[in-house]
Amino acid sequence: MAEASEHGDASDLAVSTPLTAADPVVLVLAHGETPAAVRNARGHLFEAFVARLLHAYGYSAPTTERLNVSADGIELDVVASHELSGQGAVAECKAYTSPVPASMLGTFHSKLVTHRFGTPNAQGFFVAIPRLTSSGHEYARKITAHDRGFHVLTATTIADLLHTRQVIVDCPLEGLLSSDPAVVVTEHGVHAACLELDASTRKPVRVVVWAAHGAVPTTVLEAVATAEYAQGCPAVDARGAVSAPHPPRAEAPPLIVSVTGSGSDFEYHLPAAPKFFVGRQRLVAQLGRALDDNAGVLVLNAKSGWGKSSAALRLKALTAQRKGHALIVDSRTATHKRFVTDALSLAARQAQKARVLSLPGDASWASLGSALQTLSTATWHAGPLVVFFDQFENVFTDAELTREFRDLALAARELADHVLIGFAWKTDLVAWTEDHPYQLRDQIRANATVLKLGPLGASEISILLRRLERAMDEPLARDLRTRLREYSQGLPWLFKKLAGHLLREVKEGVTQEELASEALNAQNLFDADLAELSPAEHEAIRHIARYAPLPIGEVMERVTGPIVTSLLDRRLVVQVGESLDIYWDIFRDYLTTGRIPVEDSYILRMGPSSVARLLQQVVADDGDSHVRDLAQRMNTSEKVVFNLSRELRLLGATAYEPNRVRLLPDIWHADDREDELRRRVASSLRRHRAFTAFFALSDRAGGATINAYARELPSAFPAVEVSETTWIAYARVYLQWFEYAGLALQRGTTWQPAPEASPGTGNLLGGPLRRRLRGGFPHDAPGPSLQLLLRIASGDTTVRETERRTAAPLLIIGALTETNGGYRLRHDGLVADGAVVPSELRRLMLTVPGVREGLAVLEADPRARPHQVGQAVREALEASWVSSTSDVVGKHLRSWARAAGVDVQPVHRTESVQPQEGLF
């Protein structure tokens, strides 16, 4: 057996007016051996029913032009002629479970006007079951006011017509507490029905069916009892039933679970309660406007852990401020269509207890339609009623259940003066593109005010950091504060998870220095959660994760009570009604897939050349060095050594050991140490948000310049707030590491993703690693650098720490290479007879981007001013320099060009335009 048609596209609900009466339900029930056979039989029954309706208006049996029966509804197009006048008529029938939109009405009227070109004065019948939307009714009134040949039939007018023709009659039982009247269409004829209600719960206890004359066939009663309309209640013939109220069915109470907020700032197992809600003023304002502007339907979309549930609880607080009532429902307990009506019933009864509204005396919770009718006739005393369905992505696995929620969303727009229906589902799901329920999901969203949540910003993370300090009862070390900003990525759940970890570690005596040295990430923390479990607990939690939410009874068939209790006590598993689920969907995904949807997000501040200085000293110590020794030999501080070694820990090359820097054994004992180090760095960077941002920019723009990439990085680090020049510095460092790892290639001033298996650039453990160009070449006069070059060429390779800036230009052009003990000359022909060879110097200078273009200006005009030379370099590098930077680069490049044998003359003097005074 099958029940009546469902709703198709109902996107036009612009006008919100209250429901005026309960719409009769039209049930088309048919037998069939297969679903296809049932659909075919229902279609033909509906054809015969429409023919009967048209016959009541004097038309002969119609001819079907189109019949479509699907899960979305029954659609029928027919043509007919009047039996007396022969006047033609066309009819279009839409039988859905939600109101038919005005757009469909308008499309049919346009077809009718076109049809009249060949058949003048043809009548038009638009059958809208259950009815039109409020805007559709308004549109219909405008059409019928000017077109007397246009008619609209709704479920109510159809029922009235059938009643007038005595096809159906009033219920023979008197004093029946009922709702949801129905017209039942079967192969045995047309009957009437209704749902009999329990006096206290106002839920259906049985279906009463009756014929206009005589008894209802048993097959009809069986068909009605198995239809969704009956909701499992028995069907009885009214003429043979007693009029006394039927005893209520024994059924479990509705499993409606409210969302609970946290009891502290860093209780990451629960969403933030309103008192712990941080920032997001724009979102809070949008939620307030949704309440004040009678939005009707609200959708919160965000990725996992971005705060949808916390925002829903904040909406509840805003509703209370407006003297309304809100119920935030955990949708994971939704398993059948009745859930929707039960949720509305619970919310309305709570609101009545809170004196927000008074329910009517004929209140009915028999179905979604009667529940909406009850709310429409309630007396309102205060603010709005909000019913919000959280964790809604779980509903999408059931198309029929999703359709019921869709019908609620469409109808709720007509109750928007007092009711707000909300939904929250995560957007990091694989979207449906061909099958249900993507269409139903999109219809909900198309008729809603959609708010998208993003990560927390820098100021909001600052608030949380201050709260963390209060919870720790000590100030956070600067380095640890920075790490928390970077690692949390502005994600509320991840910050709370990291903060909870820090609080536990500090309580156990771990120092902040040790915590700052950790490469914090969510996977490590989840691994720590699992490390405490026994093998049996491991098996249990993975089983729950695979099938969650899972009824407790099913879990107990595989898992012993003590194990379930242990997982609940550890709060790795939570109870949702009569089911068990993993405490967080991200943790559930990790258990089932081994991955988490969060990339690494630390900031690298030291480039490969800086880290190479440290690594080469560590290599000299057989891969294991003391921090103090490294600082002394490198003529720097222990803090600098710590910062350099931190980059190596983040990239997976070293592990934290107090006061030591030691390469991991897998690197030190590898056949090719550099290759193993490069492989580990590449593996780490591929999991990094910065690399994803670089790859996306390159794909979009055909490459990435430093400045363009710097503009992308803030979106990868939403909780970090630094200056534009600092982002440029970070961008340069990342690009250098991508080059070293073989993930990017530089082409002029642009970097592009490298092909797979690219070898990478430079060597960190030994050998040449060319110094990178920063802001153009050169920034200093050549004299001191060339004197240093001659000194090194003479055999004095010792270079003081204060001379490193002097050596930098020579490293940039490749004249020198850095060694463990200092520097050495890379090109023997560069110095001859104690002097620099100009032609060789010029050849090396031309390898630096921008120099060729600057020298070309001087070769064309030896008296070119510094600004002209610097401008040429800036344009070649596509750099965003201020004028003073161009002047400095141009000034010093003129001096280097002279040393390289280029004819450089004094600049042109600006001649005075004033007449010279004299004796004559």
Side-chain angles (χ1 to χ4, degrees):
M1 308 302 292
E3 191 176 342
S5 43
E6 303 294 350
H7 181 63
D9 181 15
S11 58
D12 185 0
L13 283 169
V15 180
S16 297
T17 58
L19 301 171
T20 56
D23 299 305
V25 179
V26 177
L27 299 179
V28 182
L29 306 177
H31 287 285
E33 296 296 329
T34 64
V38 171
R39 288 195 297 270
N40 183 60
R42 288 176 62 209
H44 290 302
L45 277 175
F46 192 66
E47 281 183 286
F49 180 65
V50 171
R52 188 168 186 172
L53 293 177
L54 292 177
H55 182 68
Y57 287 90
Y59 289 89
S60 60
T63 300
T64 299
E65 290 191 332
R66 186 177 73 94
L67 173 63
N68 179 43
V69 184
S70 67
D72 285 334
I74 299 178
E75 299 176 332
L76 176 66
D77 298 346
V78 299
V79 294
S81 61
H82 200 275
E83 293 177 342
L84 295 178
S85 66
Q87 185 181 44
V90 293
E92 187 168 294
C93 312
K94 308 290 185 184
Y96 303 142
T97 57
S98 288
V100 179
S103 58
M104 290 184 174
L105 179 73
T107 300
F108 171 68
H109 189 248
S110 297
K111 289 168 56 178
L112 174 62
V113 172
T114 303
H115 182 78
R116 286 170 175 167
F117 294 159
T119 308
N121 302 318
Q123 299 288 298
F125 291 87
F126 188 77
V127 181
I129 299 174
R131 61 187 174 87
L132 291 166
T133 62
S134 55
S135 58
H137 278 295
E138 181 63 28
Y139 192 16
R141 283 193 292 269
K142 291 181 180 179
I143 294 175
T144 54
H146 299 87
D147 187 346
R148 297 196 175 191
F150 184 78
H151 314 275
V152 175
L153 305 182
T154 65
T156 298
T157 57
I158 290 171
D160 291 342
L161 175 64
L162 295 176
H163 197 274
T164 301
R165 299 277 175 160
Q166 294 294 300
V167 176
I168 59 175
V169 296
D170 292 335
C171 181
L173 287 175
E174 295 182 358
L176 194 69
L177 182 60
S178 66
S179 72
D180 295 77
V183 175
V184 182
V185 181
T186 71
E187 59 183 325
H188 299 286
V190 178
H191 299 80
C194 67
L195 297 177
E196 184 179 3
L197 306 181
D198 175 69
S200 59
T201 66
R202 300 301 175 95
K203 295 181 181 180
V205 292
R206 64 177 178 176
V207 185
V208 179
V209 189
W210 63 94
H213 305 284
V216 178
T218 302
T219 53
V220 172
L221 295 177
E222 292 174 350
V224 173
T226 57
E228 286 187 359
Y229 170 78
Q231 303 178 50
C233 298
V236 298
D237 188 338
R239 299 189 189 280
V242 296
S243 59
H246 193 78
R249 288 183 297 164
E251 62 177 12
L255 199 58
I256 309 296
V257 178
S258 299
V259 175
T260 304
S262 63
S264 67
D265 280 302
F266 307 114
E267 187 179 2
Y268 55 84
H269 295 88
L270 295 172
K275 68 179 296 185
F276 305 116
F277 191 86
V278 173
R280 297 195 170 185
Q281 297 304 316
R282 181 170 178 270
L283 172 66
V284 173
Q286 290 174 324
L287 294 174
R289 281 196 297 271
L291 291 170
D292 298 335
D293 296 344
N294 303 324
V297 184
L298 176 71
V299 169
L300 291 179
N301 276 174
K303 293 184 179 181
S304 299
W306 284 28
K308 299 183 295 298
S309 300
S310 301
L313 292 174
R314 188 70 178 88
L315 174 64
K316 181 178 181 179
L318 292 172
T319 305
Q321 291 175 7
R322 289 159 174 78
K323 302 187 183 305
H325 177 75
L327 174 64
I328 313 299
V329 179
D330 190 326
S331 301
R332 286 177 290 185
T333 61
T335 57
H336 53 82
K337 293 173 63 174
R338 180 76 211 172
F339 180 90
V340 181
T341 304
D342 286 343
L344 294 177
S345 172
L346 177 60
R349 286 185 282 109
Q350 289 178 348
Q352 180 170 252
K353 188 176 181 179
R355 299 184 179 180
V356 171
L357 58 81
S358 294
L359 293 171
D362 60 349
S364 170
W365 307 109
S367 66
L368 176 59
S370 60
L372 294 170
Q373 171 65 18
T374 296
L375 291 174
S376 72
T377 55
T379 302
W380 296 83
H381 308 302
L385 172 63
V386 175
V387 187
F388 194 98
F389 298 97
D390 193 23
Q391 302 283 342
F392 197 73
E393 60 273 0
N394 294 274
V395 174
F396 290 136
T397 59
D398 187 331
E400 289 301 316
L401 180 58
T402 306
R403 184 173 287 107
E404 187 79 351
F405 277 104
R406 186 280 313 274
D407 291 344
L408 168 64
L410 297 179
R413 294 294 295 270
E414 300 191 23
L415 296 171
D417 287 348
H418 301 291
V419 177
L420 176 67
I421 302 297
F423 302 89
W425 64 76
K426 60 183 182 181
T427 54
D428 45 351
L429 293 168
V430 177
W432 294 272
T433 55
E434 297 297 336
D435 302 316
H436 286 295
Y438 89 96
Q439 292 175 325
L440 304 173
R441 175 205 62 193
D442 290 349
Q443 288 170 16
I444 294 174
R445 191 158 48 195
N447 287 277
T449 297
V450 180
L451 303 183
K452 295 182 179 180
L453 280 68
L456 298 176
S459 61
E460 293 160 326
I461 292 296
S462 295
I463 295 173
L464 288 174
L465 287 170
R466 290 194 293 271
R467 294 185 182 183
L468 178 57
E469 288 179 323
R470 288 198 296 270
M472 293 173 60
D473 198 26
E474 62 179 272
L476 279 167
R478 179 178 179 181
D479 197 46
L480 190 55
R481 292 175 62 89
T482 301
R483 304 299 171 254
L484 282 171
R485 278 191 183 278
E486 297 170 11
Y487 296 147
S488 69
Q489 304 176 35
L491 305 182
W493 76 267
L494 185 50
F495 186 94
K496 292 198 292 185
K497 181 73 173 172
L498 292 168
H501 168 71
L502 296 183
L503 288 170
R504 288 193 305 273
E505 294 294 293
V506 169
K507 185 177 180 180
E508 294 178 6
V510 180
T511 67
Q512 289 198 36
E513 181 184 15
E514 292 172 312
L515 291 170
S517 69
E518 294 182 17
L520 297 176
N521 59 60
Q523 183 160 324
N524 288 347
L525 300 182
F526 287 157
D527 287 340
D529 288 338
L530 295 178
E532 301 175 356
L533 302 182
S534 67
E537 290 170 331
H538 264 280
E539 182 180 355
I541 196 172
R542 292 186 186 279
H543 175 72
I544 295 171
R546 191 174 300 116
Y547 301 105
L550 193 61
I552 295 176
E554 293 185 27
V555 175
M556 298 302 291
E557 292 177 2
R558 292 178 54 107
V559 181
T560 64
I563 289 179
V564 172
T565 301
S566 173
L567 295 176
L568 288 169
D569 291 344
R570 294 174 185 270
R571 304 191 73 177
L572 299 178
V573 170
V574 294
Q575 183 174 349
V576 184
E578 297 300 319
S579 298
L580 295 178
D581 200 351
I582 304 302
Y583 80 92
W584 220 318
D585 52 1
I586 295 175
F587 188 37
R588 181 176 63 231
D589 294 342
Y590 171 66
L591 290 170
T592 55
T593 66
R595 300 186 303 273
I596 57 173
V598 177
E599 297 173 296
D600 289 338
S601 60
Y602 48 82
I603 291 180
L604 296 173
R605 294 169 171 81
M606 304 289 185
S609 60
S610 299
V611 173
R613 291 178 53 215
L614 173 71
L615 271 179
Q616 290 169 14
Q617 294 293 334
V618 174
V619 169
D621 292 337
D622 293 328
D624 188 358
S625 302
H626 196 282
V627 170
R628 183 181 302 130
D629 295 339
L630 290 171
Q632 290 176 348
R633 294 207 304 265
M634 295 173 64
N635 194 23
T636 189
S637 66
E638 293 184 14
K639 183 176 181 181
V640 170
V641 173
F642 176 85
N643 289 335
L644 291 169
S645 63
R646 169 189 169 274
E647 312 292 71
L648 294 170
R649 290 194 301 276
L650 295 173
L651 293 170
T654 63
Y656 176 73
E657 293 184 25
N659 300 317
R660 303 201 70 78
V661 179
R662 182 171 65 88
L663 281 171
L664 293 177
D666 288 348
I667 297 176
W668 185 249
H669 297 299
D671 294 335
D672 188 329
R673 295 170 182 168
E674 192 73 53
D675 184 65
E676 177 64 17
L677 175 60
R678 199 186 310 273
R679 184 192 67 79
R680 285 174 175 266
V681 171
S683 178
S684 297
L685 291 175
R686 281 194 179 95
R687 301 190 302 267
H688 203 287
R689 290 169 62 87
F691 180 68
T692 301
F694 163 71
F695 200 87
L697 174 62
S698 300
D699 184 60
R700 186 172 67 249
T705 63
I706 290 179
N707 287 336
Y709 183 42
R711 289 191 291 271
E712 294 290 314
L713 284 180
S715 62
F717 300 93
V720 176
E721 192 171 35
V722 295
S723 67
E724 180 181 347
T725 55
T726 302
W727 285 122
I728 291 174
Y730 292 163
R732 183 180 293 109
V733 168
Y734 276 117
L735 292 172
Q736 291 172 10
W737 279 109
F738 295 159
E739 277 192 278
Y740 168 77
L743 301 178
L745 294 174
Q746 184 179 4
R747 296 289 184 266
T749 61
T750 302
W751 281 260
Q752 295 177 334
E756 285 295 324
S758 293
T761 302
N763 298 285
L764 299 186
L765 299 175
L769 187 75
R770 183 162 176 166
R771 186 66 60 91
R772 292 296 170 188
L773 177 66
R774 296 192 179 191
F777 172 88
H779 272 283
D780 293 294
S785 297
L786 296 181
Q787 290 176 9
L788 177 63
L789 177 66
L790 294 176
R791 200 179 84 206
I792 293 173
S794 68
D796 183 4
T797 60
T798 302
V799 177
R800 296 181 296 276
E801 187 69 23
T802 54
E803 293 181 302
R804 289 193 173 275
R805 179 182 175 94
T806 304
L810 300 173
L811 291 168
I812 288 174
I813 66 175
L816 298 179
T817 186
E818 196 167 2
T819 65
N820 291 338
Y823 298 94
R824 65 178 177 83
L825 205 63
R826 289 188 64 184
H827 300 278
D828 294 337
L830 181 58
V831 177
D833 299 327
V836 175
V837 178
S839 60
E840 284 297 305
L841 178 61
R842 185 176 186 277
R843 181 180 65 81
L844 294 177
M845 288 169 54
L846 289 174
T847 64
V848 179
V851 170
R852 183 179 301 277
E853 289 76 9
L855 295 185
V857 172
L858 287 170
E859 289 169 346
D861 180 8
R863 295 181 182 274
R865 303 180 68 82
H867 182 75
Q868 295 173 279
V869 179
Q871 181 76 4
V873 177
R874 186 183 74 172
E875 291 175 356
L877 297 178
E878 298 180 8
S880 300
W881 295 344
V882 296
S883 296
S884 59
T885 302
S886 299
D887 292 343
V888 169
V889 171
K891 171 186 174 183
H892 293 310
L893 185 55
R894 282 173 50 88
S895 299
W896 279 86
R898 186 181 293 108
V902 178
D903 181 22
V904 178
Q905 299 295 324
V907 298
H908 292 287
R909 292 184 179 275
T910 302
E911 295 183 2
S912 174
V913 297
Q914 298 294 329
Q916 214 175 18
E917 295 184 2
L919 294 175
F920 304 99

